[in-house]
Amino acid sequence: VHGRSTPNVSPTEILQLRRQIAFFVQQQKGLSLMSDSTHQNSNSPRTPMRVALLGYGTVGATVARLLTEPTFSGIELTHIFNRNVARKQAAANSIASSVVWTESIDQILGSDVDVIVELTGGVDPTEHWVRAALEKGKHVVTANKQLIALRGTDLLALAAEHDRQLLYGAAVAGGVPVIPGILQGISADRITAISGIVNGTCNFILSKMENGASYADVLAEAQGLGYAEADPSADVDGYDARAKLCILARIAMHVQLDPNTVPTQTISTIDAIDFTYAHDLNCTIRQIAQARLTAADDAETKTVQARVAPMLVPRSSPLAFSRGTQNTVVTTGQFGGDVVFSGRGAGGEPTAIAVLSDLLAVAQNAHQTAMPVHAATVDGDLAAPHYLRFVVDDRPGIVFAIAGALAAAGANIDSLLQRPGYPKHRLPFVITTESSPTSVIERAIATVSRMDFTLEPPLCLPMIAAEP
Ligand SMILES: NC(=O)c1ccc[n+]([C@@H]2O[C@H](COP(=O)([O-])OP(=O)(O)OC[C@H]3O[C@@H](n4cnc5c(N)ncnc54)[C@H](OP(=O)(O)O)[C@@H]3O)[C@@H](O)[C@H]2O)c1
């Protein structure tokens, strides 16, 4: 405050004022206040902040290792909980000898830790542990998408009731800060749509198939690399992505969706020929989790069009640039337009960084503004152009019959693609439609499936429109 005199202010008051300005500047810069205990309010964790880890697996072990870095000198790992913990302890070499290794959750809950980091996964018994931790006044950081998708609203209410923080920045897109980005960067906007690639396994498979590999071969490779489970259903059939979509819908659109009501479609029926035809349409194929707000703002119960499916994506879209296990999420805001989040969606280190960033936020006591969440019904009927791939025993009149089935259901054909070089007794060809609800297209497909020239169930994929 140069050039102004301060005649009635005592040196003590000036000192206090300086402290307040320094405090404000530090907050603005997002710097940790952990070393300045004089400014901590009653809810701030003490210094060092004491942390217990539940789960010493891929992410948990990486979090424990990275906590030894100097950046985290204000955070002390005091307990590690895991079943059969002796084998985990024997394999760990960078963990301080002061850390207590335990198989007893009661020992953790009864301890004086400030924060519990939940990295075991699953809903049961994890939900009970998280509830108990919040009720006992502990902050919770978790990467558990199933828990947050299914029980997030209740758990966040419980956290608010106990004036504790429940942060879950790693639960969607691992190391990509989609959740903090939405909460802290664009929550002032009215977000009307989300389209995301949020399952790295599916993206790995589809982006390899794009270069000519078969589904079975890439799935086996993904399993060999540890990207896909022995039973890959949660990934390839879309259940993992829909849990994440429900979390994103809650924080971006303030709606609570029941994951079980969001339709999913498997990627396992995609064939190499679909990429050939997709390229002819200047598109590629990606597993897309999509939600669009449809009802008016003032509706008591909102309606959200939501679906997880392999979709045709224009090659110019940021979604098409996602390769390998990369995740990409595009949000559309009424005022701010499109925002793209992209990066490494999984893996020990990227996910651990998201977890540790949440821990730093707890240490900084960085409360997020809670927005009211509305009940919502899911409408799985996406209005979009559709890609239909048929495999037929060729004969005259087939296109006429399919066009008739589409017209009877209320859909219009936009284009017909037939590549040369395939045998007539097993001919793949593609019809694209004008924009129609998926249910209309599925009705026509059901009719075509019963026609005797159809050799396998037709493939039906929504198409994302190119930007004008
Ligand atoms: N890995 C990623 O890239 C990634 C990305 C984003 C989010 N996440 C989420 O992060 C969490 C952890 O994932 P992760 O990949 O680290 O899993 P993980 O490797 O399977 O580790 C889980 C750990 O928790 C232990 N555990 C599981 N259930 C337990 C129980 N009931 N009692 C005691 N210990 C139990 C496991 O012990 P055992 O060794 O005996 O099984 C294992 O050590 C999950 O919620 C996951 O969805 C992971």
Side-chain angles (χ1 to χ4, degrees):
V1 200
H2 296 292
R4 287 192 193 163
S5 60
T6 51
N8 300 321
V9 182
S10 71
T12 316
E13 285 171 317
I14 290 174
L15 191 63
Q16 279 175 347
L17 192 63
R18 277 201 181 138
R19 278 195 176 151
Q20 280 169 7
I21 291 170
F23 176 78
F24 175 76
V25 168
Q26 275 193 311
Q27 273 198 322
Q28 294 302 304
K29 288 180 178 171
L31 292 177
S32 168
L33 295 175
M34 289 183 293
S35 58
D36 187 355
S37 57
T38 58
H39 293 297
Q40 288 178 346
N41 68 31
S42 61
N43 292 322
S44 298
R46 69 211 129 135
T47 305
M49 186 172 80
R50 291 164 62 83
V51 172
L53 196 59
L54 311 188
Y56 193 79
T58 306
V59 184
T62 315
V63 166
R65 173 169 56 81
L66 293 182
L67 272 174
T68 61
E69 296 283 319
T71 322
F72 305 107
S73 57
I75 299 176
E76 185 187 356
L77 178 63
T78 60
H79 295 74
I80 297 176
F81 161 86
N82 208 98
R83 60 192 167 205
N84 308 322
V85 80
R87 79 204 140 107
K88 301 279 183 182
Q89 189 174 4
N93 46 25
S94 62
I95 307 300
S97 56
S98 57
V99 171
V100 176
W101 295 76
T102 180
E103 292 172 15
S104 163
I105 192 68
D106 290 337
Q107 186 178 0
I108 301 281
L109 294 170
S111 72
D112 66 347
V113 296
D114 302 295
V115 190
I116 286 186
V117 177
E118 185 281 304
L119 295 169
T120 49
V123 177
D124 188 25
T126 320
E127 180 187 2
H128 305 291
W129 300 342
V130 169
R131 279 185 177 279
L134 293 169
E135 281 162 359
K136 286 178 179 287
K138 301 179 190 316
H139 302 285
V140 174
V141 170
T142 179
N144 189 330
K145 62 219 153 202
Q146 297 295 349
L147 181 69
I148 295 300
L150 288 165
R151 307 279 188 265
T153 303
D154 288 352
L155 291 174
L156 285 162
L158 186 66
E161 194 184 307
H162 291 273
D163 204 9
R164 297 294 98 178
Q165 297 196 57
L166 169 59
L167 299 186
Y168 49 92
V172 177
V176 189
V178 182
I179 290 176
I182 292 174
L183 288 172
Q184 285 149 38
I186 52 175
S187 61
D189 206 343
R190 179 174 181 263
I191 296 172
T192 55
I194 303 165
S195 292
I197 294 173
V198 288
N199 183 279
T201 307
C202 288
N203 208 57
F204 177 82
I205 292 173
L206 291 173
S207 57
K208 283 252 173 179
M209 286 180 74
E210 187 173 28
N211 297 323
S214 76
Y215 174 79
D217 286 351
V218 195
L219 175 60
E221 185 185 347
Q223 285 166 328
L225 289 167
Y227 295 156
E229 301 287 328
D231 173 4
S233 175
D235 293 321
V236 301
D237 295 337
Y239 307 130
D240 172 81
R242 80 175 174 185
K244 295 169 178 169
L245 181 66
C246 292
I247 296 173
L248 291 180
R250 184 174 58 234
I251 61 163
M253 298 169 166
H254 317 298
V255 290
Q256 177 62 48
L257 308 182
D258 175 358
N260 297 319
T261 63
V262 176
T264 55
Q265 183 179 340
T266 183
I267 66 161
S268 63
T269 50
I270 307 291
D271 200 70
I273 183 69
D274 297 311
F275 282 95
T276 306
Y277 279 125
H279 284 199
D280 290 348
L281 292 161
N282 217 10
C283 291
T284 187
I285 302 172
R286 294 286 184 265
Q287 186 204 50
I288 304 293
Q290 199 175 69
R292 271 189 237 149
L293 210 49
T294 57
D297 250 348
D298 53 359
E300 182 76 0
T301 300
K302 311 262 180 199
T303 304
V304 176
Q305 284 190 343
R307 199 176 186 89
V308 175
M311 298 189 191
L312 263 75
V313 175
R315 281 206 270 183
S316 56
S317 161
L319 295 166
F321 300 149
S322 258
R323 293 266 156 32
T325 56
Q326 193 179 351
N327 280 198
T328 299
V329 174
V330 183
T331 59
T332 304
Q334 182 179 353
F335 304 102
D338 285 359
V339 176
V340 182
F341 300 88
S342 194
R344 291 173 66 192
E349 288 188 346
T351 310
I353 288 301
V355 169
L356 290 164
S357 299
D358 277 350
L359 265 181
L360 287 177
V362 173
Q364 290 161 13
N365 205 16
H367 276 283
Q368 294 160 352
T369 313
M371 305 284 249
V373 174
H374 303 274
T377 53
V378 169
D379 171 5
D381 224 6
L382 287 193
H386 284 75
Y387 164 101
L388 310 176
R389 188 253 293 149
F390 304 92
V391 180
V392 298
D393 183 4
D394 197 21
R395 74 184 70 149
I398 287 181
V399 172
F400 183 74
I402 293 175
L406 284 165
N412 274 339
I413 290 179
D414 186 48
S415 69
L416 191 149
L417 291 84
Q418 185 180 330
R419 284 220 159 200
Y422 290 93
K424 283 179 81 65
H425 65 274
R426 196 169 180 83
L427 183 69
F429 73 97
V430 163
I431 285 175
T432 64
T433 71
E434 292 178 358
S435 185
S436 275
T438 303
S439 63
V440 167
I441 304 293
E442 284 174 348
R443 223 170 25 246
I445 292 291
T447 308
V448 176
S449 294
R450 290 192 294 273
M451 294 175 176
D452 62 356
F453 54 75
T454 301
L455 298 181
E456 57 183 69
L459 180 72
C460 167
L461 307 180
M463 299 173 69
I464 294 182
E467 289 291 317

